[in-house]
Amino acid sequence: MRSDSKDQFWLKHTLCSVLISALLILGTSARAQTSTVFAAASLKGALDEIVATYEEATDHRILLSFAGSSVLARQILFGAPADVFISANAKWMDYLETEGLVARSSRIEIAANRLALVTSDLTLRGDIDLGVGHFDLIEKADKIAIGLVEAVPAGQYAKQALNAFGLWAALETQLVQLDNVRSALALVSLGEARFGIVYSSDLRASDHVALVGLFPENSHTAIRYPAAVLGVHPSEAALEFLHYLQSKPAQSIFKAHGFVDLKSVTKP
């Protein structure tokens, strides 16, 4: 083969290789999508890890936004660009579903939790189901951090549980209500409140907070996390992420972060 023919052959071969590589890259970019997920604050540690594993396994990217479920639901109602919503209770998902903002038949449940009485006094550490006598530990000068009882799921569960024990009226003036459960945890962790009522999974987020005990499950509505994609025409990527939340890898991460199996928590 003549030298100029060889040069032309390798030139054509190189150009074909570059073209194929470019087409593959463009194809991957076309498939890759970014989805925005609005999620209850109590899910932060678990979802951060789940998203990392999901992004490693797919071409897609997930943007996470955490706050109280009520805050997120209202943001979505007013047009915030979310693709997936994960609530800490059914109420706020029902609210968006009633407004026609949830994609039909996409709603699932991804995790469950327990309600816990926690303290900044590490000498009170326990691992028990609470009874009325355990609240004798709370002195009149003590503050108790909880979520907003009119809006935040953790606060609503807390009010139900205290009412079940007949203690709401006695402790109401000692309550410090905050806009999400992680803020309540932070107040206890900083020693600004001696006690708090949060989720059992929240204990993994602080080394300065101890569990006093778990509220009996029959003292409040079952704590289950509904998730759904939003919009009339949801993206394939958003649906894919929603299904991934039910996968074994994702469920193992939820468990490692202190969430409990859905099967072990009775539906409301």
Side-chain angles (χ1 to χ4, degrees):
M1 184 182 291
R2 291 170 48 191
S3 177
D4 57 345
S5 296
K6 288 182 179 179
D7 290 342
Q8 289 177 2
F9 170 79
W10 287 113
L11 178 61
K12 289 179 180 178
H13 182 271
T14 301
L15 288 172
C16 285
S17 298
V18 170
L19 181 59
I20 290 169
S21 297
L23 288 172
L24 287 172
I25 292 170
L26 287 172
T28 299
S29 299
R31 290 194 302 273
Q33 297 179 37
T34 297
S35 299
T36 300
V37 177
F38 279 19
S42 55
L43 292 164
K44 181 171 177 25
L47 278 186
D48 283 342
E49 189 173 339
I50 288 170
V51 164
T53 63
Y54 175 77
E55 290 181 338
E56 285 182 6
T58 69
D59 296 323
H60 304 309
R61 187 182 177 207
I62 301 295
L63 298 179
L64 291 167
S65 179
F66 296 102
S69 299
S70 59
V71 172
L72 296 173
R74 291 189 178 104
Q75 288 177 351
I76 292 167
L77 180 65
F78 289 114
D83 299 295
V84 176
F85 176 50
I86 310 174
S87 176
N89 70 358
K91 174 185 173 181
W92 291 108
M93 188 65 76
D94 292 343
Y95 175 69
L96 293 184
E97 202 163 20
T98 300
E99 295 293 328
L101 297 174
V102 173
R104 187 175 299 175
S105 302
S106 71
R107 181 170 171 171
I108 59 174
E109 290 182 330
I110 60 165
N113 221 328
R114 293 289 305 272
L115 192 66
L117 178 66
V118 300
T119 181
S120 57
D121 185 346
L122 303 186
T123 65
L124 300 179
R125 187 185 304 274
D127 187 13
I128 51 176
D129 282 335
L130 292 170
V132 175
H134 295 113
F135 291 90
D136 292 341
L137 298 170
I138 301 175
E139 300 173 0
K140 288 190 176 182
D142 291 334
K143 297 298 181 184
I144 308 164
I146 66 171
L148 287 164
V149 299
E150 296 302 323
V152 177
Q156 294 169 337
Y157 295 131
K159 184 174 182 179
Q160 290 174 2
L162 291 176
N163 271 322
F165 279 105
L167 293 169
W168 174 258
L171 296 176
E172 186 176 3
T173 59
Q174 294 174 244
L175 302 176
V176 181
Q177 299 185 38
L178 298 127
D179 61 0
N180 66 71
V181 72
R182 285 299 174 90
S183 294
L185 179 75
L187 206 66
V188 181
S189 183
L190 292 169
E192 298 295 325
R194 189 170 179 233
F195 293 94
I197 301 176
V198 299
Y199 299 124
S200 60
S201 62
D202 291 317
L203 286 159
R204 307 296 178 101
S206 176
D207 294 328
H208 305 291
V209 173
L211 172 68
V212 177
L214 299 175
F215 285 89
E217 291 184 76
N218 62 6
S219 68
H220 56 80
T221 303
I223 303 171
R224 301 167 72 90
Y225 291 76
V229 293
L230 304 171
V232 179
H233 302 292
S235 69
E236 289 184 12
L239 287 166
E240 183 180 319
F241 179 69
L242 190 70
H243 292 309
Y244 185 78
L245 293 173
Q246 292 182 303
S247 70
K248 286 185 178 180
Q251 289 298 308
S252 294
I253 292 171
F254 279 128
K255 185 176 180 180
H257 281 263
F259 292 86
V260 298
D261 193 306
L262 281 163
K263 295 177 183 177
S264 69
V265 176
T266 305
K267 284 192 176 185

